[in-house]
Amino acid sequence: MEEEREEPVPATGLPVGIDLGVKTLAVCSNHSESHEHHENPKALYAGARKLTRLQKKLSRQEKGSSRREATRKRMARQHMRISCVRSDAIHKATSSIVAKAKPPETRPTLIGVEDLNVSGMMKNRHLARSIADASMREFRRQLSYKCSWYGIELVVVPRFEATSKPCSRCGCVKQDLMLSDRVFHCEACGHVVDRDENASDNILMLAVSSAERVNGRGGRVRPAVFSGHDPLKRQLKPAG
Ligand SMILES: [Zn+2]
């Protein structure tokens, strides 16, 4: 059944950059000092661990046996449970980010997210990583249709290198940043920030500047201009 939807009123609030992650589901930046963190539900990890145990049990059981069949059914139910927990958490996060119930001036004009390298992700069997991969895909899927429903422009920026390694304050690239480094410490300007928050700031900047380039050609609406402490100035030309 297809739901009838009215043409959305374009949102006019501050743009938001989202870093989708392994540990934290999503970190959002709108260039205020505080970032919004959306955590993965703990039930997701507990559920996934249980699934791994069932998988091991299944592999030990005799093929065609009724015990094996029972385990297979338990696994199917567990898969379903995990997918519900995941989907529910992501619905809460994406709905809160698009701020659907709020007036257009408080909803983000545009949302920037990273491009996902899905083929590379599917190969990874590590538990936390596989949870994150499925969550990122689902997050992107929900965000994409919710943006179109609520008049928000969704901008996809190239992933990892461009978003994790540069300092969001001075732009200096930290070549030796490891995946295990949770805090980004810039030797050039002394900026110390949560790694995911730094990435979300960079995603925001890249998304805004790429939207400006496109909109400059296409004549669409410019994103709102920022106020306050504003590293965006190094990438943004003055409006007008
Ligand atoms: Zn710096």
Side-chain angles (χ1 to χ4, degrees), residues 3 5-12 16 36 87-88 90-109 111 142-143 145-152:
E3 198 183 337
R5 290 204 160 259
E6 289 175 23
E7 192 63 27
V9 179
T12 55
V16 168
E36 206 174 271
S87 168
D88 186 54
I90 296 174
H91 269 298
K92 281 191 187 122
T94 51
S95 288
S96 133
I97 293 165
V98 302
K100 60 179 181 182
K102 298 198 179 134
E105 63 273 19
T106 54
R107 299 201 313 256
T109 306
I111 292 178
Q142 291 186 14
L143 197 62
Y145 73 74
K146 288 184 187 182
C147 280
S148 71
W149 283 357
Y150 300 112
I152 297 167

Side-chain angles (χ1 to χ4, degrees), residues 116-235:
L116 299 177
N117 174 9
V118 174
S119 62
M121 288 178 167
M122 298 301 277
K123 291 184 196 121
N124 203 311
R125 290 205 190 125
H126 192 266
L127 181 63
R129 188 70 234 188
S130 66
I131 288 176
D133 293 350
S135 293
M136 286 185 208
R137 284 194 299 278
E138 176 63 11
F139 199 102
R140 280 276 306 272
R141 188 187 71 79
Q142 291 186 14
L143 197 62
S144 165
Y145 73 74
K146 288 184 187 182
C147 280
S148 71
W149 283 357
Y150 300 112
I152 297 167
E153 184 177 1
L154 185 65
V155 179
V156 177
V157 303
R159 70 188 298 268
F160 191 67
E161 293 288 316
T163 59
S164 293
K165 293 189 171 179
C167 169
S168 60
R169 180 171 286 171
C170 74
C172 189
V173 177
K174 194 177 173 69
Q175 286 299 355
D176 58 352
L177 183 79
M178 307 293 285
L179 264 172
S180 56
D181 294 339
R182 298 315 305 162
V183 174
F184 185 97
H185 185 178
C186 178
E187 280 96 9
C189 76
H191 189 39
V192 178
V193 62
D194 174 273
R195 172 213 182 88
D196 298 337
E197 293 183 356
N198 184 62
S200 69
D201 288 343
N202 285 327
I203 291 167
L204 174 62
M205 281 190 275
L206 288 165
V208 169
S209 58
S210 112
E212 287 225 320
R213 280 198 303 278
V214 172
N215 295 346
R217 282 200 299 274
R220 284 187 290 161
V221 187
R222 273 168 182 276
V225 179
F226 302 90
S227 57
H229 134 86
D230 191 3
L232 281 158
K233 277 176 188 145
R234 83 184 154 83
Q235 289 208 4

